[in-house]
Amino acid sequence: MTETAAPPQSPPRRSYARLAADESREDYSLRYAPHAFRRWSPGTVAGTALGGIAYLADFAIGASIVFAYGFTSGLAAILAAAAVIFLTGVPIARACARYGLDMDLVTRGAGFGYFGSTLTSLIYASFTFIFFALEGSIMAQAMHQAVGLPLQVGYLITTLIVIPIVFKGMGALAKVQAWTQPVWLIGLVLPFLVLAFHAPGSWGASADFGGTEGAGSGFSWIGFGFGTGIALSLIAQIGEQADYLRFMPAKTPANSRRWNLAVLAAGPGWVIIGAAKQLGGAFLAFVALEAVGTTHALEPIAPQIEALRPWLGGFALPAAALFVIVSQIKINVTNAYSGSLSWSNFFSRVTHRHPGRVWYIFLNLGIALTLMELNMFSMLGKLLGFYSNVGIAWIAAVAADLVINKRLGLSPPYIEFKRAYLYAVNPAGFGAMVIASTVSILAFFGLFGTYPEAFSTFIAAGLSLLLCPLIAWATKGRYYLARPNGVNGPGVEVPDITATHTCSVCETAYELPDIADCPVQSGPICSLCCSLDATCGDACRKGAKEGAAGGAVVLATPVVRRI
């Protein structure tokens, strides 16, 4: 009797849960945003991204800096922080828009490695829930002032109100930002217009304000350093801008000028408006100080009411409350959305599971609600000052890779984000961030004296910018790519990146940049299925190290020489 060989078993297939598979909710949350999905014009993407910076935390941050360190030192600190945020944001914004990637995916390929960027996912997630809590506290203060709603109840309402919008993803966020923009613009400008007519002398008087803690009206290096540190806590905002910028359409000769302007405005350009809002918030708080006291002057609702009262009288309270509520909804839908992306990225790599981005909305909002209940608003300055030491070390390392390492040939000229081609940890960016943030945090807690404590964020930025290219040079850039991704030599024809390839695991078609060749599956695999595979043992990378890079299919990512 002749035995027949058993038929070979086909590789396992994967089907995603309904919420994870529904792209209208997912918006390609863990992967490259394909050209087919980037349907918006550059102006629409920019307008939506800028709609997300309607938050009033800038008002509270600017007021707290000026109240603590005086107007002169506060002005210098706010402007210096804005310059740093703008300069580091330019290359990051262009990279996210050009490659259709969010901040986490850019970080992977810009010096951190596949698992190295999990730490930055936590840093970014903490940014979103810290600022959700801050913005939610401001909104709850407005509702308490307007209708007497207890703050604890207000915290809960501000948390629940954003969930239906964030469930729907980018499309719903774009509509909310567009519909609420006119109300926000009127509410933003009107208080300053009233004061220009009613109290014109207050503008000049605010320049002589010495703060409420005896700092004095003159310039202080200590005050400048501490103030800059607080303002730099907003540096991770570029990540939320990137969540919109990744949907920017491809740059073409026809739209080149509009594309460049839109990316500049929606990316680092947010900080120009942000710095103006910080100074405006400090001014409104100064005008309201005598009437409402220091504590309430730092809460944006009270200065708004005092500024509007000369023209609106009894309607000043509801008008101010409407403006604050609209502003906070605009930003907190972005905070909740971006936080869910970051948590999803983190857990997909750690657990190899992806139940869907929307489930992580509840995790992010739960942490934010807890912070609100703990009254984090009262610890604003110290909390943000500490956070900025870590945030700027991360952003500076990414910017250093994009601006320095890629131009010197120390890292690949394109951004590789797929697990199949990356080392777990790249010491260039990851090492630079860890060393820089550790030293700066020690300085922040006073270990090295008063001046290093005040300038701890400058230490973080300087070390990160220096160490990232230095480590890349010392390691000869070997930890950027675990194996080659196609052939990038001269004369090689660049493939059509919009062509789709069917993933051999989930059997869904994806554009070329989202696909890797997998020797285990003996065919193409999409970036998400690759991330979720817990059984392959990274065979593709091991084969490359042994000189036998598997996979007969060569899938090249096109080289873009300049970012």
Side-chain angles (χ1 to χ4, degrees), residues 540-556:
C540 59
R541 292 185 292 186
K542 291 178 181 177
K545 294 174 187 176
E546 295 164 2
V553 181
V554 177
L555 300 170

Side-chain angles (χ1 to χ4, degrees), residues 169-497:
M170 175 64 174
L173 266 64
K175 292 177 182 177
V176 167
Q177 302 298 1
W179 292 343
T180 56
Q181 200 74 343
V183 175
W184 178 74
L185 287 172
I186 293 171
L188 179 68
V189 173
L190 189 58
F192 300 99
L193 187 63
V194 173
L195 290 175
F197 284 93
H198 181 72
S202 59
W203 297 83
S206 66
D208 297 323
F209 182 51
T212 58
E213 301 177 19
S217 59
F219 179 79
S220 164
W221 282 107
I222 296 294
F224 168 73
F226 279 122
T228 305
I230 295 172
L232 279 173
S233 64
L234 291 163
I235 195 165
Q237 176 64 33
I238 190 62
E240 294 198 345
Q241 303 307 112
D243 287 335
Y244 294 104
L245 285 171
R246 64 200 175 104
F247 297 114
M248 193 71 70
K251 183 179 179 181
T252 65
N255 71 1
S256 177
R257 183 177 179 183
R258 288 181 289 113
W259 192 94
N260 286 327
L261 289 175
V263 170
L264 193 65
W270 77 265
V271 78
I272 298 174
I273 302 173
K277 286 163 58 188
Q278 289 175 43
L279 295 173
F283 171 68
L284 292 180
F286 165 76
V287 174
L289 179 60
E290 185 176 346
V292 304
T294 302
T295 300
H296 290 301
L298 292 173
E299 301 172 356
I301 180 65
Q304 288 281 326
I305 295 171
E306 292 302 314
L308 294 174
R309 201 183 299 278
W311 279 12
L312 301 185
F315 290 101
L317 174 57
L322 176 63
F323 169 65
V324 171
I325 291 171
V326 168
S327 299
Q328 303 317 88
I329 290 175
K330 284 170 72 67
I331 180 55
N332 266 354
V333 294
T334 301
N335 281 329
Y337 177 72
S338 296
S340 69
L341 294 181
S342 189
W343 283 117
S344 193
N345 268 304
F346 173 78
F347 281 109
S348 69
R349 276 170 287 173
V350 173
T351 67
H352 298 284
R353 294 179 62 84
H354 179 50
R357 170 190 65 81
V358 296
W359 296 111
Y360 295 108
I361 297 171
F362 299 103
L363 171 63
N364 209 50
L365 298 188
I367 298 174
L369 179 59
T370 302
L371 289 177
M372 283 188 274
E373 297 291 353
L374 294 174
N375 192 24
M376 69 149 285
F377 193 85
S378 64
M379 303 178 290
L380 177 65
K382 203 68 176 176
L383 179 63
L384 297 184
F386 171 79
Y387 176 82
S388 63
N389 287 278
V390 181
I392 195 171
W394 163 37
I395 298 299
V398 174
D401 180 83
L402 297 175
V403 175
I404 301 173
N405 295 6
K406 292 194 181 304
R407 282 165 171 73
L408 295 180
L410 298 174
S411 68
Y414 65 97
I415 297 173
E416 181 55 73
F417 65 94
K418 297 181 286 293
R419 173 191 178 189
Y421 302 106
L422 294 175
Y423 281 96
V425 176
N426 186 342
F430 182 80
M433 183 196 73
V434 170
I435 295 171
S437 59
T438 300
V439 173
S440 67
I441 287 172
L442 293 176
F444 176 78
F445 284 110
L447 187 64
F448 307 130
T450 302
Y451 276 92
E453 178 182 356
F455 286 87
S456 62
T457 50
F458 288 87
I459 294 173
L463 279 177
S464 201
L465 286 169
L466 175 66
L467 289 174
C468 183
L470 186 62
I471 295 173
W473 172 79
T475 58
K476 296 181 172 58
R478 60 173 294 190
Y479 294 101
Y480 279 90
L481 293 178
R483 63 169 176 142
N485 181 3
V487 180
N488 294 318
V492 177
E493 183 179 355
V494 175
D496 178 12
I497 64 171

Side-chain angles (χ1 to χ4, degrees), residues 157-178:
I157 292 175
T158 63
T159 303
L160 296 177
I161 198 171
V162 304
I163 293 177
I165 302 170
V166 182
F167 253 61
K168 292 297 183 179
M170 175 64 174
L173 266 64
K175 292 177 182 177
V176 167
Q177 302 298 1

Side-chain angles (χ1 to χ4, degrees), residues 547-561:
V553 181
V554 177
L555 300 170
T557 298
V559 172
V560 180
R561 296 292 174 187

